[in-house]
């Protein structure tokens, strides 16, 4: 199953988790417009902050990940580096599997990430002793920006789909 952004109701499935949880003032949101998802906002380094993120419960997307070889994203960026993050029952609540990417600014690009491209992290620190990702245990996906740069950002997303 491919996750697309052609229904306005998709916007309600995404929610922000920004650095205000630790005193920062970054802000973000996820908007669905004209068949695209937009992860956008502003990163601030004030008050020890510096990250913004959005998350989505897979809601019917996850069963098809069990036999997938990874994920493909069709995205367009703004010159900044983002992370695709996956929450798994194999890791603690503050941990996730991540892969970093810097998408093209001037054209849509489809990026392919096999499961072994993801690394387990907890608050930005790599967990060297974490188990390898098990696709059937993924229960949440999201995007994060934490590139130590203040300012506005916008990641456009057309599709998220399992690799077969």
């Amino acid at each position: 199953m491919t996750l697309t952004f052609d229904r306005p109701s998709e916007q309600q499935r995404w929610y922000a988790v920004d650095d205000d949880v630790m005193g920062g003032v970054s802000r973000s949101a996820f908007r669905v417009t004209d068949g695209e998802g937009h992860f956008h906002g502003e990163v601030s380094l004030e008050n020890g902050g510096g990250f913004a993120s959005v998350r989505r419960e897979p809601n019917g997307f996850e069963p098809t990940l069990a036999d997938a070889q990874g994920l493909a994203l069709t995205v367009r960026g703004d010159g900044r580096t983002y992370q695709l993050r996956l929450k798994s029952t194999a890791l603690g609540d503050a941990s996730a599997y991540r892969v970093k990417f810097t998408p093209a600014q001037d054209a849509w690009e489809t990026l392919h990430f096999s499961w072994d491209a993801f690394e387990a992290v907890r608050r930005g620190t790599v967990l060297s002793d974490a188990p390898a990702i098990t696709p059937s245990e993924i229960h949440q996906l999201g995007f994060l920006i934490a590139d130590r740069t203040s300012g506005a950002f916008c990641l456009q997303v057309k599709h998220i789909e399992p690799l077969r």
Side-chain angles (χ1 to χ4, degrees):
M1 174 182 170
T2 299
L3 178 59
T4 60
F5 302 95
D6 49 3
R7 290 186 316 272
S9 62
E10 178 64 26
Q11 182 169 311
Q12 278 67 53
R13 295 183 182 203
W14 294 81
Y15 61 95
V17 179
D18 300 327
D19 59 16
D20 60 345
V21 298
M22 52 178 272
V25 294
S26 299
R27 59 180 175 75
S28 69
F30 195 87
R31 182 180 77 240
V32 173
T33 308
D34 299 326
E36 299 174 9
H38 296 252
F39 169 40
H40 64 97
E42 187 164 347
V43 173
S44 171
L45 303 179
E46 290 181 39
N47 298 340
F51 76 87
S53 70
V54 290
R55 300 177 183 177
R56 181 198 192 272
E57 308 300 330
N59 293 344
F61 189 67
E62 74 278 16
T64 61
L65 296 180
D67 61 350
Q69 305 303 307
L71 290 172
L73 304 175
T74 301
V75 291
R76 183 166 50 197
D78 55 5
R80 297 182 72 170
T81 298
Y82 293 88
Q83 297 176 27
L84 171 61
R85 296 174 65 90
L86 306 173
K87 292 281 199 169
S88 168
T89 56
L91 299 175
D93 191 45
S95 303
Y97 292 96
R98 76 168 179 204
V99 65
K100 295 180 180 182
F101 62 98
T102 307
Q105 290 181 255
D106 52 355
W108 289 101
E109 176 178 28
T110 300
L111 306 171
H112 298 87
F113 302 112
S114 62
W115 296 130
D116 63 4
F118 288 84
E119 60 186 355
V121 294
R122 177 176 163 75
R123 295 189 177 121
T125 301
V126 175
L127 302 173
S128 56
D129 59 345
I133 196 167
T134 302
S136 62
E137 295 178 347
I138 296 168
H139 62 87
Q140 186 182 78
L141 58 89
F143 295 102
L144 180 137
I145 184 168
D147 60 359
R148 298 190 173 123
T149 303
S150 293
F153 66 88
C154 184
L155 174 68
Q156 296 170 267
V157 186
K158 268 216 177 164
H159 303 107
I160 303 171
E161 58 191 318
L163 289 177
R164 302 285 174 214

